[in-house]
Amino acid sequence: MAALKAEQKKIARDAVASNRCASPLPPRIESDVAEVAKKAENYYVQWENLETKRIASVRSQRNPAIKYDIRLPSSITPNMMPPICPCGYHTSGIPCYHGAAAISDKFGVNRLYEFVHPNLRASFWKEQYKNMQLDLPSTAEIDALPADPTICFPVALLPPKGRPSKNPGKRLHSSREDGTKVKKPRCCGLCKAHNHTKANRPFKQ
């Protein structure tokens, strides 16, 4: 029950944060888009046709030999998607550096957020918490429910006895088993001979 209450508080905080968000993008996505826009300044764009500006060849200032062709629409419509780029970063839902450079050159950097995937925008974030019920039933109501045989709860396992070993799950071998230590031969405590011991020495003084 305590874990459910902790999760309830976390969801409630996220719901409040989504309602307070006045930006078209959530704070984390907005910071990612701002970083992409800053990195896009290091790329220069060359349009195939300056009048239409549909296909752009984007090159990096560090390595101008590599270019990426970006195709943009003639105008911005609702629920725009990131432009497809051979680099593959557009699959994250945010325009890549090459696409951001082309968008900023054609439409302006202030309209870069309109090319973010709709599922990453603040409107979709707020829709997830709309009309959400966060009330948890009491313990008495949960106990009054009939038992469901299909629900299996994990068995609580007791911790093993003794101090935890450095390599749990593996058997610790002694030095004699590993062969790193040789067993010393027994000797007599009086004459230090190895053919007998103090108890069974052949002659006793």
Side-chain angles (χ1 to χ4, degrees):
M1 197 67 180
L4 291 176
K5 290 183 178 180
E7 189 67 21
Q8 180 189 25
K9 291 181 180 179
K10 180 180 180 300
I11 295 175
R13 289 195 300 267
D14 294 343
V16 172
S18 64
N19 292 329
R20 291 180 178 177
C21 182
S23 175
L25 298 177
R28 182 179 63 85
I29 304 299
E30 188 176 15
S31 62
D32 294 344
V33 172
E35 183 179 357
V36 169
K38 185 177 180 180
K39 293 290 184 63
E41 297 176 357
N42 299 326
Y43 296 81
Y44 63 91
V45 182
Q46 184 178 2
W47 296 96
E48 185 178 303
N49 190 339
L50 293 177
E51 296 181 359
T52 59
K53 288 189 176 182
R54 296 293 301 273
I55 301 177
S57 297
V58 183
R59 301 174 185 268
S60 173
Q61 296 180 3
R62 184 187 305 176
N63 191 0
I66 301 177
K67 71 171 184 176
Y68 294 92
D69 293 336
I70 305 296
R71 186 182 296 271
L72 293 180
S74 57
S75 60
I76 297 178
T77 57
N79 298 328
M80 292 290 297
M81 302 289 289
I84 299 176
C85 181
C87 71
Y89 185 79
H90 65 278
T91 56
S92 64
I94 300 176
C96 62
Y97 302 151
H98 317 98
I103 294 170
S104 301
D105 187 80
K106 182 176 181 178
F107 300 105
V109 69
N110 294 331
R111 307 198 67 179
L112 184 61
Y113 73 93
E114 299 186 44
F115 288 84
V116 176
H117 195 282
N119 292 349
L120 299 180
R121 300 181 188 180
S123 57
F124 183 82
W125 186 30
K126 295 178 180 180
E127 191 67 24
Q128 300 302 308
Y129 297 99
K130 187 178 181 180
N131 300 327
M132 179 177 290
Q133 300 293 333
L134 299 178
D135 297 333
L136 293 176
S138 61
T139 308
E141 294 176 352
I142 296 177
D143 296 338
L145 295 175
D148 191 353
T150 60
I151 300 177
C152 299
F153 294 96
V155 180
L157 300 178
L158 297 176
K161 296 181 180 180
R163 298 177 61 185
S165 59
K166 294 182 180 179
N167 51 349
K170 296 182 180 180
R171 180 176 176 271
L172 298 179
H173 297 276
S174 63
S175 58
R176 292 179 180 177
E177 291 177 330
D178 296 337
T180 57
K181 185 177 181 180
V182 181
K183 184 178 179 181
K184 295 178 61 176
R186 301 177 66 181
C187 62
C188 179
L190 295 177
C191 61
K192 308 301 180 182
H194 295 284
N195 56 356
H196 64 273
T197 60
K198 181 180 178 180
N200 57 0
R201 63 185 183 273
F203 57 91
K204 298 181 180 180
Q205 298 179 354

